C-alpha cells in the first residue's frame, strides 16, 4: 500500500528525527475523518473504549467513546496517544532476514520466501532433534482468537510441548492462587461493586499509573465514605488520597496478611457462618497465623504495629469491602503465598460473592485475562483445561479432530525455555507478541540464549529488541488492523474492531501462523478464513470447561456491551459476579458456588519466607521495579510515541532523601545501581515517597538502560513468576553520565 508523500508531514516533526514520522501521515490536526471505528485501547487490561479516526485508510486520531462499557469515555495518556504508533517509520512493512552487511543488520525479504524459510527451518530442526526442539513464545496482548490459535498451532501443527507466554511474567501467581482457593481464575466481581464497598484494600498496585481508570472506581467509593487502605513500599498517587498507608518492605506481604488475620481471629472479626458453610481448611490457617502476632508482623514487614492494628480493625469491622492486588505482591518468589494470604483475609471476612463485597487481581496486559484461558500456557488447553488431564485432552482433541494421545503433555515455563536452550534441548524458537530480552530478568542471559539458537523467527510490527536476534522477522498486525475479542480486567469479553488494513506486506498474525502451517504441509485445522471462525471453534473447545465461552457471540458482545464468562449457552446472559449463592458451575454442579466438587472455597496456609536474594553488607538496598504512567511494558510501542517519551524520557532511580544524603547523591545526579548481575548508571530522582531502604527503577527501556539486566531470575516454585519486585542492590554516585545518556532512539 502506498504511503502519503513526505511533504504531508504535519504537527509531529517537533519531536525530532528519532521520533518523527517522515513518511508523513497527517495526524489528527483537525482532519475530518472518513469514519470513526469503535474499539478498545491496545495497552492495559482496563480496555478503555476508544473511537479511532480513520482518514484515507490511515488511523489519524481518536475520539472518546462516551458510552463505552467500563471506561465511559475515560482514557489515560497512553490511550490518547496510541493512534500515533501505526504511522511510525519503524513499522515493519516487509519480512526481514538477518544480514550483517545490510544497514541495521537486516535486509527486506519477500513474504512468501520468508514463510517458506521458516517452515523449512522448523522441519529441519524437528526432524533432527525431535518436535519439542522447536519452542513457541506468545503474548497476552494478542486477541483471544490468536491466543487460542497459538496454543493449537504449537500442539497440533508443530506437535511441541514447548509453548508458553508473557503472562508468565504477569498473571500467573494470581492465577495459581485463585485456582487453589476458588478453583477458577477470574476477577470475582465487576468493578461496579467497588463504589459500593465500605473499605477498599489495595496491595501492591500502583492504581493511578497502571490501572488509571480503576482510580475512578476507588474514588467513587471514597465519595460514598469508604476507607481506602494502600500497601506499597512507595506512596504512589492513589496512596496520596488513602486513609491508611502501610509502607511494606518489599517481599513481606504474606506476613502482613497473616498478621491481619491473626487480629481478625483474636477480635472475632470473622464470619463464622460463612467459614463453616462455604469454606474448608480454616483451622489449619488459624493455627498457622497464631504465631503472626502484631509484633512479629511489624518486625517482618517494617510497618508500625499500631498501623497494622488499625488496618486490621478497618478491614475486620467492615460490612462490605473490596480487596485489589496487582504485581506488587505477585512478582515474587513466593508470589502465590502472598496471593493466598490475601484471599484468606477475604474468606475469613465472608465478604465475597455479594454486591459490594469483592476481590480481584488487577489484570495487566490488554488481554491478560483472555490470554490466560485458552491454551497458550505451557500446561493448559482451551477453556482453562489442564493438558495433563485425560478427560480434558479428550474433550479438546474431539473439537480439533485429532487423536488425544498425539497431543503433547505439559511444557516448561517461558524462562525455562531459555534454560532448555542452554541445555541444548531447544534449538529453534518462534516468538510473537513478546519481547523477552527486555522483559525477562537477568536479561543478559536471555540474550546469550537467543544467540545460541539455531533458528529464531519473530512476528511483530516493530523490530523489538529481542527480534534483533532473529534470523527472520515476519511483519505482523497492529491492534487496529485486525478484529477479535479480548477479555478485560473484570472478566468481560469485548470486541476489538478493525479500523484499517495491514500496510505493505504485513499480515494479520493469524494469517501468518496459518501460512506457516500450510508451508509445513500441515494445514489441517489451520484454514480459518476470519477471526469469527476461530472464535466459533474456541467457543466449542471451551464448552464445559471452567472458562466457558460457549454462549458468547460477537453479536451478543455488541448487544450487551460485553459478556462476562462463564456464559455456557446461547440464552445465558453471562456472569458478572462469581460465587453468588445458588450459582452453578461445571465443577461443583450445584453443590455450592466455588469451583470444587463440594462447592466450597479453600483456605490455604500461606507461608512466609524472605525474598530469594535478601540484603547483606555488600548489597544493602532492596531494588524494586515497575512502571510509570506514560510507558508500557518493554516500551517497544510507547518509546515510539513522541509525547509519551517527552513525559518520561529515560529511566530514573527513585530514592529517599535520607538515603540520598547518606550516599551524597543529589536529585538529578548520575548514580550507579549495582546488583550481582550487573550495573546501570541512570539519573537519580530524590523523592520522599519511597522507603529509605528501597530504590525503584521503571523497566520500560532496552539496552544499557534496561533494569532487567540487573534483576534476579529467581521464580515462584508454583507459578514460575520471576521475582521482579525485589533483589539486593547497592547504589553510589557516578562520576558523570554514561556514554548512553540521552540516547533516545527506540532501541536504546
Ligand atoms: N502505565 C502503565 N500501565 C500499565 C502497564 C505499563 O507498563 N505501564 N502494564 C500493565 C501490566 S502488563 C501490568 S502487569 C500492570 C501492573 O500494574 P501494577 O502491579 O500496579 O504496577 P507495578 O509498577 O509493576 O507495581 C505496583 C506497585 O508494587 C509496588 N511494590 C513493589 N514491591 C512490593 C511489595 O513487595 N509489596 C507491595 N505491597 N508492593 C510492592 C511498587 O512500588 C509499585 O507501586 O500494569 C498494567 N498497566
Ligand atoms: N523488571 C521488570 N520486568 C518486568 C515487569 C516488571 O514489573 N519489572 N513486568 C512484567 C510484566 S507484568 C509483563 S506483562 C511483561 C511484558 O513483557 P513483554 O510481553 O515482553 O512486553 P511487551 O512490550 O508487551 O512486548 C510485546 C511485544 O509484542 C508486540 N505486540 C503487541 N501487540 C501485538 C500483536 O497484536 N501482534 C504482534 N505480532 N505483536 C504484538 C509489541 O510490539 C512488543 O514488541 O514484562 C515483565 N517484565
Ligand atoms: S492504557 Fe489502559 S487505562 Fe490507559 S487508555 Fe489504554 S486501556 Fe485505558
Ligand atoms: Mo503484566
Amino acid at each position: 500500500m502506498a504511503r502519503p508523500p513526505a511533504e504531508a508531514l504535519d504537527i509531529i516533526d517537533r519531536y525530532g528525527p528519532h521520533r518523527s514520522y517522515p513518511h508523513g501521515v497527517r495526524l489528527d490536526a483537525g482532519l475530518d475523518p472518513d469514519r470513526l471505528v469503535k474499539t478498545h485501547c491496545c495497552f492495559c487490561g482496563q480496555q478503555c473504549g476508544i473511537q479511532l479516526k480513520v482518514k484515507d485508510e490511515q488511523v489519524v486520531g481518536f475520539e472518546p467513546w462516551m458510552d463505552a462499557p467500563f471506561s465511559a469515555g475515560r482514557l489515560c495518556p497512553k490511550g490518547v496517544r496510541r493512534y500515533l504508533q501505526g504511522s511510525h517509520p519503524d513499522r515493519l512493512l516487509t519480512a526481514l532476514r538477518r544480514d550483517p552487511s545490510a544497514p541495521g543488520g537486516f535486509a527486506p525479504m519477500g513474504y512468501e520466501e520468508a514463510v517458506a524459510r521458516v517452515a523449512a527451518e522448523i522441519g529441519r530442526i524437528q526432524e533432527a532433534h525431535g518436535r519439542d526442539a522447536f519452542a513457541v513464545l506468545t503474548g497476552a496482548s494478542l486477541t483471544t482468537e490468536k491466543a487460542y490459535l497459538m496454543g493449537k498451532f504449537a500442539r497440533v501443527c508443530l506437535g511441541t510441548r514447548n509453548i508458553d507466554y508473557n503472562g508468565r511474567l504477569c498473571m500467573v501467581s494470581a492465577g495459581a492462587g485463585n485456582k487453589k482457593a476458588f478453583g477458577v481464575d477470574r476477577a470475582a466481581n465487576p468493578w461496579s461493586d467497588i463504589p459500593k464497598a465500605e473499605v477498599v484494600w489495595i496491595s501492591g498496585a500502583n492504581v493511578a499509573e497502571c490501572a488509571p481508570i480503576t482510580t475512578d472506581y476507588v474514588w467513587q467509593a471514597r465519595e460514598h465514605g469508604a476507607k481506602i487502605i494502600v500497601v506499597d513500599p512507595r506512596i504512589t498517587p492513589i496512596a496520596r488520597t488513602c486513609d491508611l498507608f502501610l509502607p511494606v518492605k518489599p517481599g513481606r506481604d504474606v506476613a502482613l496478611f497473616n498478621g491481619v488475620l491473626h487480629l481478625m481471629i483474636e477480635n472475632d472479626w470473622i464470619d463464622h457462618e460463612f467459614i463453616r458453610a462455604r469454606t474448608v481448611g480454616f483451622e489449619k490457617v488459624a493455627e498457622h497465623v497464631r504465631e503472626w502476632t502484631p509484633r512479629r508482623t511489624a518486625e517482618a514487614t517494617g510497618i508500625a504495629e499500631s498501623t497494622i492494628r488499625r488496618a486490621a480493625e478497618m478491614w475486620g469491622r467492615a460490612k462490605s469491602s473490596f480487596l485489589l492486588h496487582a504485581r506488587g505482591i505477585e512478582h515474587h518468589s513466593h508470589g502465590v503465598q502472598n496471593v493466598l494470604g490475601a484471599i484468606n483475609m477475604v474468606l475469613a471476612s465472608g465478604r465475597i460473592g455479594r454486591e459490594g463485597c469483592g476481590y480481584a487481581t488487577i489484570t495487566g496486559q490488554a488481554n491478560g485475562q483472555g490470554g490466560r484461558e485458552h491454551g497458550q500456557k505451557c500446561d493448559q488447553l482451551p477453556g482453562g483445561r489442564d493438558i495433563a488431564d485425560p478427560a480434558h485432552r479428550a474433550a479438546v482433541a474431539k473439537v480439533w479432530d485429532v487423536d488425544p494421545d498425539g497431543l503433547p503433555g505439559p511444557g516448561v515455563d517461558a524462562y525455562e525455555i531459555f534454560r532448555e536452550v542452554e541445555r541444548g534441548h531447544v534449538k529453534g524458537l518462534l516468538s510473537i507478541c513478546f519481547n523477552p530480552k527486555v522483559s525477562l530478568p537477568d536479561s543478559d542471559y536471555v540474550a546469550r540464549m537467543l544467540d545460541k539458537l539455531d533458528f529464531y523467527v519473530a512476528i511483530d510490527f516493530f523490530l523489538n529488541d529481542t527480534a534483533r536476534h532473529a534470523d527472520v522477522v515476519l511483519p505482523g498486525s497492529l491492534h487496529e488492523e485486525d478484529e477479535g475479542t479480548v477479555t478485560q480486567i473484570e472478566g468481560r469479553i469485548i470486541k476489538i474492531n478493525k479500523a484499517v488494513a495491514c500496510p505493505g506486506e504485513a499480515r494479520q498474525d493469524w494469517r501468518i501462523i496459518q501460512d506457516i502451517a500450510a508451508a509445513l504441509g500441515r494445514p489441517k485445522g489451520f484454514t480459518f478464513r476470519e477471526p469469527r471462525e476461530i472464535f466459533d471453534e474456541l467457543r466449542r473447545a471451551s464448552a464445559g470447561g471452567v472458562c466457558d465461552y460457549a454462549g458468547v457471540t460477537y453479536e451478543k458482545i455488541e448487544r450487551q456491551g460485553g459478556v462476562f464468562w462463564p456464559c455456557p449457552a446461547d440464552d445465558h446472559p453471562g456472569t458478572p459476579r462469581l460465587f453468588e449463592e445458588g450459582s452453578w458451575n461445571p465443577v461443583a454442579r450445584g453443590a455450592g458456588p466455588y469451583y470444587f466438587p463440594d462447592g466450597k472455597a479453600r483456605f490455604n496456609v500461606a507461608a512466609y519466607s524472605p525474598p530469594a536474594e535478601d540484603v547483606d553488607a555488600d548489597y544493602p538496598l532492596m531494588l524494586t521495579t515497575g512502571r510509570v504512567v506514560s510507558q508500557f511494558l518493554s516500551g517497544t510501542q510507547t518509546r515510539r510515541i513522541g509525547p509519551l517519551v517527552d513525559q518520561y524520557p529515560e529511566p530514573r532511580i527513585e530514592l529517599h532523601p535520607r538515603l540520598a544524603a547518606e550516599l551524597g547523591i543529589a536529585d538529578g545526579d548520575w548514580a550507579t545501581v549495582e546488583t550481582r548481575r550487573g550495573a546501570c548508571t541512570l539519573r537519580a530522582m530524590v523523592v520522599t515517597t519511597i522507603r529509605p531502604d528501597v530504590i525503584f527503577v521503571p523497566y520500560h527501556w532496552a539496552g544499557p538502560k534496561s533494569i532487567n539486566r540487573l534483576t534476579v531470575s529467581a521464580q515462584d516454585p508454583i507459578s514460575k513468576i520471576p521475582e521482579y519486585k525485589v533483589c539486593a542492590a547497592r547504589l553510589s554516585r557516578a562520576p558523570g553520565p554514561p556514554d548512553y545518556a540521552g540516547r533516545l532512539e527506540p532501541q536504546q
Side-chain angles (χ1 to χ4, degrees):
M1 192 183 66
R3 292 255 152 184
E7 51 273 24
L9 183 63
D10 201 325
I11 52 165
I12 28 62
D13 59 348
R14 70 189 172 88
Y15 293 112
H18 55 282
R19 281 173 280 154
S20 72
Y21 304 84
H23 57 303
V25 178
R26 288 167 58 96
L27 292 166
D28 217 9
L31 295 177
D32 277 338
D34 298 332
R35 59 181 184 274
L36 287 172
V37 177
K38 280 188 173 145
T39 185
H40 295 267
C41 174
C42 57
F43 292 128
C44 88
Q46 320 276 294
Q47 285 301 287
C48 301
I50 189 167
Q51 304 193 76
L52 295 180
K53 273 187 187 174
V54 180
K55 176 87 177 168
D56 299 335
E57 299 309 312
Q58 302 272 358
V59 175
V60 295
F62 78 100
E63 292 280 340
W65 172 7
M66 298 313 289
D67 53 354
F70 183 81
S71 56
R74 287 160 296 201
L75 292 158
C76 84
K78 292 180 299 305
V80 302
R81 301 298 187 182
R82 59 149 284 181
Y83 72 91
L84 291 166
Q85 54 180 320
S87 52
H88 194 280
D90 290 351
R91 172 74 168 92
L92 296 179
L93 301 174
T94 67
L96 300 175
R97 68 182 161 77
R98 176 125 48 118
D99 177 354
S101 64
F106 287 89
M109 181 183 199
Y111 177 81
E112 306 296 339
E113 187 197 347
V115 167
R117 163 103 194 271
V118 170
E121 295 283 357
I122 293 172
R124 182 183 63 75
I125 287 171
Q126 290 196 318
E127 205 159 293
H129 306 286
R131 291 203 155 202
D132 293 338
F134 202 89
V136 178
L137 288 175
T138 61
S141 295
L142 295 173
T143 60
T144 306
E145 287 80 351
K146 295 179 193 180
Y148 167 83
L149 189 73
M150 291 312 299
K152 184 181 179 188
F153 174 74
R155 274 59 171 256
V156 175
C157 179
L158 300 185
T160 177
R161 69 186 184 100
N162 285 320
I163 174 170
D164 205 34
Y165 81 131
N166 64 9
R168 183 67 55 198
L169 289 47
C170 182
M171 299 309 309
V172 286
S173 291
N178 275 258
K179 278 178 81 173
K180 275 177 173 292
F182 304 125
V184 61
D185 163 25
R186 200 209 91 179
N189 300 63
W191 262 220
S192 53
D193 275 332
I194 296 176
K196 296 173 184 157
E198 246 179 55
V199 168
V200 182
W201 180 302
I202 301 168
S203 270
N206 181 358
V207 171
E209 294 199 77
C210 300
I213 308 310
T214 295
T215 312
D216 191 66
Y217 286 86
V218 174
W219 281 0
Q220 281 182 50
R222 205 186 49 173
E223 294 294 305
H224 299 156
K227 298 278 181 249
I228 314 297
I229 303 171
V230 174
V231 188
D232 201 298
R234 301 184 306 142
I235 304 174
T236 59
I238 193 86
R240 287 181 213 143
T241 57
C242 75
D243 297 273
L244 190 63
F245 175 67
L246 286 74
V248 69
K249 260 191 195 174
R252 274 73 179 178
D253 292 83
V254 65
L256 175 65
F257 296 131
N258 285 344
V260 170
L261 185 55
H262 173 106
L263 287 167
M264 288 169 73
I265 296 170
E266 190 177 276
N267 292 287
D268 200 21
W269 293 323
I270 59 175
D271 185 337
H272 296 277
E273 180 49 25
F274 177 87
I275 292 170
R276 187 195 61 73
R278 287 287 164 244
T279 69
V280 294
F282 177 70
E283 289 71 24
K284 260 196 167 160
V285 169
E287 177 62 35
H288 181 77
V289 302
R290 193 166 303 150
E291 58 179 322
W292 283 99
T293 58
R295 171 171 303 180
R296 182 164 174 218
T297 308
E299 274 164 16
T301 59
I303 304 166
E305 205 180 308
S306 57
T307 313
I308 295 166
R309 287 184 185 278
R310 276 184 66 201
E313 181 163 7
M314 274 184 187
W315 178 260
R317 287 184 181 276
K319 298 275 176 300
S320 58
S321 58
F322 206 114
L323 190 147
L324 292 162
H325 59 76
R327 306 306 86 72
I329 73 162
E330 299 162 27
H331 277 161
H332 290 283
S333 58
H334 51 269
V336 176
Q337 303 304 312
N338 284 343
V339 170
L340 292 172
I343 295 174
N344 287 342
M345 231 172 75
V346 172
L347 288 176
S349 78
R351 295 189 300 261
I352 189 163
R354 286 184 279 134
E355 194 178 14
C357 291
Y359 159 79
T361 184
I362 302 177
T363 292
Q365 299 132 296
N367 198 18
Q369 181 64 52
R372 70 184 196 251
E373 297 166 357
H374 298 289
Q376 58 176 348
K377 289 173 81 169
C378 63
D379 56 355
Q380 189 196 52
L381 288 172
R385 288 189 171 91
D386 179 356
I387 202 166
D389 182 318
H392 291 191
R393 293 166 66 87
V396 174
K398 192 163 169 231
V399 177
W400 287 351
D401 189 22
V402 297
D403 175 4
D405 295 335
L407 289 176
V412 295
D413 68 85
Y415 207 91
E416 196 65 22
I417 283 181
F418 288 100
R419 298 191 187 107
E420 286 287 87
V421 175
E422 182 169 35
R423 291 178 201 118
H425 299 158
V426 167
K427 303 278 188 189
L429 176 68
L430 179 150
S431 75
I432 178 169
C433 196
F434 195 168
N435 190 6
K437 187 181 163 195
V438 179
S439 296
L440 283 173
D442 192 8
S443 55
D444 286 346
Y445 172 81
V446 175
R448 286 198 303 279
M449 292 310 113
L450 288 166
D451 287 336
K452 192 166 185 277
L453 288 163
D454 283 1
F455 180 74
Y456 168 36
V457 51
I459 305 174
D460 210 299
F461 42 77
F462 289 130
L463 188 63
N464 72 27
D465 211 50
T466 310
R468 286 173 186 279
H469 295 255
D471 299 287
V472 173
V473 183
L474 293 169
S477 47
L478 207 62
H479 197 258
E480 51 262 41
E481 295 161 2
D482 205 352
E483 70 166 350
T485 61
V486 303
T487 304
Q488 51 74 284
I489 199 160
E490 303 166 293
R492 187 199 307 249
I493 302 156
I494 51 174
K495 179 81 197 309
I496 304 304
N497 289 315
K498 182 176 160 188
V500 291
C502 292
E505 299 236 299
R507 298 277 192 285
Q508 287 156 328
D509 298 316
W510 57 273
R511 288 189 195 277
I512 297 177
I513 294 302
Q514 297 200 145
D515 289 345
I516 295 172
L520 275 164
R522 306 173 197 165
K524 187 179 160 226
F526 300 94
T527 53
F528 299 105
R529 283 164 305 179
E530 52 179 356
R532 180 189 287 269
E533 287 186 1
I534 307 177
F535 190 71
D536 283 341
E537 186 181 286
L538 178 165
R539 290 170 58 198
R540 284 190 287 123
S542 75
V546 165
C547 316
D548 195 329
Y549 281 42
V552 187
T553 60
Y554 284 5
E555 288 70 26
K556 196 188 269 188
I557 293 172
E558 292 289 330
R559 210 167 48 237
Q560 294 188 184
V563 182
F564 288 81
W565 69 260
C567 177
D570 288 342
D571 59 357
H572 192 291
T575 315
R577 189 183 294 117
L578 297 178
F579 316 138
E580 287 188 304
E581 279 305 310
S583 59
W584 192 93
N585 70 62
V587 187
R589 305 190 152 272
Y594 298 93
Y595 284 57
F596 293 103
D598 59 7
K600 295 183 178 183
R602 266 60 182 158
F603 278 95
N604 290 273
V605 168
Y608 169 77
S609 46
E613 192 183 68
D614 216 343
V615 292
D616 57 22
D618 289 337
Y619 296 93
L621 297 170
M622 287 173 273
L623 167 66
T624 191
T625 62
R627 299 161 162 74
V628 294
V629 68
S630 60
Q631 290 294 317
F632 190 69
L633 300 179
S634 69
T636 309
Q637 295 168 266
T638 44
R639 276 185 284 113
R640 289 185 165 87
I641 299 178
L644 296 179
V645 176
D646 285 351
Q647 199 171 328
Y648 199 109
E650 297 197 273
R652 282 173 265 173
I653 307 167
E654 281 186 24
L655 74 157
H656 190 272
R658 209 186 304 158
L659 178 64
E662 223 171 85
L663 299 174
I665 298 173
D667 187 52
D669 277 356
W670 293 98
T672 302
V673 49
E674 284 174 86
T675 70
R676 290 187 173 82
R677 271 71 53 198
C680 186
T681 300
L682 303 166
R683 275 193 201 280
M685 188 160 103
V686 179
V687 292
T688 53
T689 49
I690 189 167
R691 286 180 60 97
D693 51 1
V694 175
I695 53 176
F696 171 86
V697 182
Y699 93 99
H700 314 286
W701 287 263
K705 295 177 195 167
S706 168
I707 201 65
N708 270 332
R709 293 178 40 249
L710 276 61
T711 49
V712 63
S713 63
Q715 288 167 280
D716 183 289
I718 300 168
S719 70
K720 303 292 182 184
I721 208 164
E723 186 146 68
Y724 294 118
K725 288 295 184 268
V726 54
C727 68
R730 61 181 171 226
L731 186 65
S732 56
R733 192 167 181 277
D739 59 0
Y740 48 82
R743 226 192 272 165
L744 275 177
E745 64 269 35
Q747 68 274 21
Q748 69 193 333

